[in-house]
Amino acid sequence: MRFLARDFPGSPMFTRDQLTKLIVPLIVEQLLAVTVGVADTIMITSVGEAAVSGISFVDTINSLVIFMFSAVATGGAIVVSQYLGRKDVEHAENASKQLLYAVFSVAAVMALICFLFRAPILRLLFGAVDADVMDAALVYLAITSLSFPFLAVYNGCAAVFRSMGNSKVSMRASVIMNIINIGGNAFLIFVMHWGAAGAATATLLSRAVAACLLLWLLMKPDNAISVRGLFRIRLDFPIIRSILRVGIPNGLESGMFHFGKLFVQSLLAGLGTPAIAANAICNSIVSYMIVPGSAMGLGLITVTGQCIGAGAYDQAKFYVRQLMVLMYAFLIAICAILLGFEKQLLSLFGLSAEALEIALFLFPMIVISHITVWPIAFPFANVLRAAGDVKFTMTVSIVSMWTLRIGLANLFVRGMGMGPEGIWYAMFIDWIARAAFFWWRYRSGKWMEKKVI
């Protein structure tokens, strides 16, 4: 990764090999994580567009919930990374335990809410959808909500391993999770004919196994951080406060962002099942395209966090430049391939003629928006978060989402009579605004004045 000249004195905190060992497994892990959702979508197409649409709506709700407890995991990862940058292993181990307690508690509460109130939640948000779409959504949400605590533990453990610079462990767990998920899908959908329930059950089983595996590995004494005595619960409120100082604003940002997405999805629900299915398939394909960017965004938390913990801000800025240049290179290459074979890719999903026509219209717009402003609007913001500048990212994200994406989407779809493309126009404008603010904040250097520990 020596494609930029080093511009700081002294020894680098991360060698080329260390960065490669961190980033490459993260790319594989993110690719496999995306595969869980896409495998559900592809396999469920055999049941019909109603099931695809129902899963798509529930995935929006699931994403909201998952990002809320993942935000706490991110807060914990930043605290652990900064302690490791200071070479304070004892506090890093204690912070890891407190992180797991926090993410499990948040996820358990969210699981209970989604399971008990799934019908009113879905009817409130998507009451205009067809009855068969609603039936599939109710079943899928009931089962997948049970997986939230397992996924929270998995995310918490994975965040700790990434803080150590060890992303191979969570990558291997992702391999196992995908094998169980895809195998379970094949059996429960094609053999047992469970439809949406089969896809959800396979997801639940895969997350449970992956969580147990990572928790067991994190307890092993030969790790740089070993979480011992986890089940003898002792809460350390000063460390929990440090985690929550990052996690709560990050969680509010993610929560409000995904609430906004739910409002946008409610607009999409009124455009008909073909539009819903086309949008879901386009998102599934593009989710693979942004895998390198998502992976490097996670890597930025570890690298920036450790550099800031050590007080090495020049090194932090150097590694940010390296990873962002690499991110754009990956995205441009993948974009060229996707746009060259868009019709063949979209035809794989068994869409109706109407849905395929909509997807072919949306796809180039969605791809281009992801290779231009998305890297600055989303992964790059992790640099500010890793420094503890979470209130700024929270404010920008919430204001931009609710004024630009939601406001303009309503204007374009309801006021001007546009189809699903109106939703994407509004989203692109939202991304441009947040990217501009995050870049300005980084260039101003104010993020370097923040403290986490």
Side-chain angles (χ1 to χ4, degrees), residues 161-281:
F161 277 113
R162 285 195 298 269
S163 298
M164 293 185 254
N166 183 356
S167 53
K168 283 186 178 179
V169 172
S170 53
M171 178 195 73
R172 290 166 181 162
S174 289
V175 172
I176 295 170
M177 183 162 60
N178 274 262
I179 291 172
I180 295 171
N181 185 72
I182 294 173
N185 279 336
F187 178 73
L188 296 174
I189 295 173
F190 300 133
V191 178
M192 301 300 293
H193 304 290
W194 284 13
T201 302
T203 299
L204 169 61
L205 291 174
S206 66
R207 289 173 175 175
V209 171
C212 293
L213 175 61
L214 274 192
L215 192 59
W216 173 69
L217 291 172
L218 192 58
M219 292 178 179
K220 297 182 72 172
D222 55 346
N223 295 317
I225 295 175
S226 178
V227 177
R228 292 159 291 185
L230 183 66
F231 299 108
R232 296 191 299 273
I233 299 175
R234 294 180 181 175
L235 300 180
D236 187 326
F237 289 104
I239 287 184
I240 291 175
R241 281 195 294 270
S242 295
I243 292 172
L244 295 182
R245 271 200 300 269
V246 179
I248 288 178
N250 202 24
L252 287 172
E253 175 186 342
S254 296
M256 296 301 291
F257 175 76
H258 282 85
F259 269 123
K261 287 184 70 175
L262 286 174
F263 276 100
V264 173
Q265 283 283 68
S266 68
L267 288 177
L268 185 63
L271 298 176
T273 300
I276 299 167
N279 189 71
I281 296 305

Side-chain angles (χ1 to χ4, degrees), residues 427-447:
M427 192 177 302
F428 192 31
I429 294 169
D430 164 40
W431 292 0
I432 291 172
R434 68 177 64 215
F437 278 104
F438 292 155
W439 182 250
W440 167 80
R441 185 70 165 187
Y442 176 77
R443 294 289 296 173
S444 74
K446 292 183 181 295
W447 57 280

Side-chain angles (χ1 to χ4, degrees), residues 42 281 285-286 288 334-335 337-351 356 359-360 363 367:
I42 293 175
I281 296 305
I285 295 174
V286 172
Y288 276 102
I334 297 169
C335 168
I337 296 170
L338 288 179
L339 291 179
F341 297 95
E342 60 178 314
K343 189 167 186 178
Q344 294 88 334
L345 284 170
L346 292 169
S347 298
L348 294 174
F349 290 84
L351 293 170
L356 180 59
L360 286 170
F363 192 67
V367 169

Side-chain angles (χ1 to χ4, degrees), residues 292-293 296 321-335 368-377 379-380 435 439:
M296 289 177 206
R321 289 198 303 272
Q322 277 201 321
L323 291 175
M324 291 303 298
V325 168
L326 191 62
M327 188 186 305
Y328 269 105
F330 269 111
L331 287 173
I332 291 169
I334 297 169
C335 168
I368 291 170
S369 66
H370 277 84
I371 64 164
T372 51
V373 295
W374 178 84
I376 304 295
F380 179 75
W439 182 250

Side-chain angles (χ1 to χ4, degrees), residues 29-103:
E29 180 185 351
Q30 291 298 299
L31 182 64
L32 293 172
V34 170
T35 300
V36 172
V38 174
D40 287 348
T41 303
I42 293 175
M43 292 185 175
I44 206 68
T45 53
S46 65
V47 182
E49 286 185 1
V52 173
S53 300
I55 288 177
S56 172
F57 283 133
V58 173
D59 279 342
T60 306
I61 297 172
N62 285 350
S63 294
L64 165 64
V65 174
I66 290 167
F67 272 94
M68 289 179 72
F69 61 71
S70 294
V72 179
T74 298
I78 290 168
V79 172
V80 173
S81 294
Q82 291 203 12
Y83 275 127
L84 287 175
R86 290 187 180 183
K87 303 190 184 303
D88 187 345
V89 176
E90 181 180 352
H91 278 93
E93 290 181 344
N94 191 27
S96 301
K97 289 174 63 176
Q98 306 307 314
L99 160 62
L100 292 175
Y101 297 148
V103 293

